[in-house]
């Protein structure tokens, strides 16, 4: 498999596994312990790695979430907890989830190793969230924790690449969400308010942006040797089945 083929095939697996911890009840309880809402924890947990920045900067980095919704979550959180502290709590929950849900899976250490090499080789240019998260120290050496953090990082890498590709396609982030599989419902979930622009002419542009995303991410997978791309896909598929079954 070529690196671009590995990127395209791994994308849905990475996107699902890389955010699975954020839906875990224990992660949501962490928000209450910090004294903030689940939405504030989600926004600040993702973007807090950027440090003490303005909501406008966070909205630009996240891209696909409406700026007003970003500001609601970010401003509510930073009045109570420093952003880096929320990001650290988010990272701890990611490690805990990985140790719990991936730690007993077969070949987790091998999965963590392959993912880690891809993360290290990824180009973070124009992807501030990915770069900020890659700079966050990870103290948990457990294979499940390392695999979960690498999945989080690759998910941010894919998201950052897609945002770049969408803008290169001449689309706004809202238009990309509307042209996606969830349409209006996806836009509403991301905090965008109707009325929405028509979708028809946007679908072809979105498909082009998806292909460009795979090309932008593919350098990360050049770090893998012959056969290791296919091996990674098999391990990711097994991990997803294990998580879903658990």
């Amino acid at each position: 498999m070529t690196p671009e083929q590995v990127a395209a095939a791994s994308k849905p697996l990475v996107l699902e596994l890389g955010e699975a911890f954020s839906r875990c009840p224990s992660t949501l309880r962490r928000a209450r312990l910090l004294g903030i809402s689940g939405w504030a924890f989600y926004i600040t947990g993702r973007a807090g790695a950027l440090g003490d920045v303005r909501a406008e900067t966070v909205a630009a980095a996240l891209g696909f979430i409406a700026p007003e919704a970003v500001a609601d979550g970010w401003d509510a959180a930073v009045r109570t907890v420093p952003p880096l502290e929320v990001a650290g709590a988010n990272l701890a929950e990611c490690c805990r989830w990985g140790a719990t849900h991936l730690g007993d899976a077969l070949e987790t250490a091998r999965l963590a190793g392959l993912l880690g090499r891809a993360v290290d080789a990824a180009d973070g240019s124009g992807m501030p969230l990915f770069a900020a998260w890659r700079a966050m120290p990870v103290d948990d050496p457990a294979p499940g924790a390392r695999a979960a953090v690498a999945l989080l990082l690759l998910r941010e890498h894919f998201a950052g690449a897609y945002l770049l590709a969408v803008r290169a396609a001449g689309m706004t982030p809202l238009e990309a969400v509307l042209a996606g599989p969830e349409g209006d419902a996806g836009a509403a979930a991301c905090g965008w308010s109707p009325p929405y622009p028509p979708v028809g002419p946007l679908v072809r542009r979105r498909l082009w942006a998806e292909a460009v995303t795979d090309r932008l991410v593919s350098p990360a997978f050049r770090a893998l040797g012959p056969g290791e791309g296919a091996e990674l896909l098999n391990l990711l598929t097994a991990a997803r089945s294990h998580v879903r079954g658990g």
Side-chain angles (χ1 to χ4, degrees), residues 18-35:
E19 70 169 1
F21 82 95
S22 67
R23 298 191 299 271
C24 180
S26 295
T27 302
L28 299 177
R29 282 197 294 271
R30 178 62 74 97
R32 292 196 293 272
L33 291 174
L34 291 173

Side-chain angles (χ1 to χ4, degrees), residues 41-56:
F41 184 80
Y42 173 76
I43 293 295
T44 314
R46 275 190 71 190
L50 295 171
D52 189 12
V53 299
R54 295 182 181 274
E56 292 84 355

Side-chain angles (χ1 to χ4, degrees), residues 61-230:
L62 292 175
F64 297 103
I65 302 176
E68 295 81 3
V70 169
D72 286 345
W74 181 263
D75 292 341
V78 299
R79 285 195 294 267
T80 304
V81 194
L84 277 173
E85 183 176 334
V86 182
N90 196 47
L91 182 62
E93 288 302 318
C94 180
C95 290
R96 177 203 53 76
W97 180 89
T100 301
H101 294 276
L102 297 176
D104 59 346
L106 294 175
E107 299 188 81
T108 298
R110 177 61 172 165
L111 173 63
L114 292 174
L115 289 170
R117 281 160 56 192
V119 166
D120 290 342
D123 183 355
S125 302
M127 304 179 193
L129 267 184
F130 167 72
W133 271 107
R134 188 164 59 177
M136 292 277 288
V138 180
D139 298 324
D140 193 331
R146 290 191 295 111
V149 172
L151 286 164
L152 181 157
L153 286 165
L154 276 182
R155 181 180 181 276
E156 291 295 355
H157 190 48
F158 272 111
Y162 185 51
L163 182 58
L164 290 175
V166 163
R167 302 302 291 128
M171 302 171 68
T172 66
L174 170 58
E175 288 173 335
V177 173
L178 289 170
E182 297 182 4
D184 289 7
C190 290
W192 300 97
S193 301
Y196 301 127
V199 175
L202 304 174
V203 175
R204 183 173 296 179
R205 290 189 184 187
R206 186 187 69 82
L207 293 176
W208 181 86
E210 291 279 3
V212 171
T213 299
D214 299 336
R215 288 198 291 273
L216 290 173
V217 174
S218 64
F221 297 105
R222 292 177 192 163
L224 305 184
E228 288 184 329

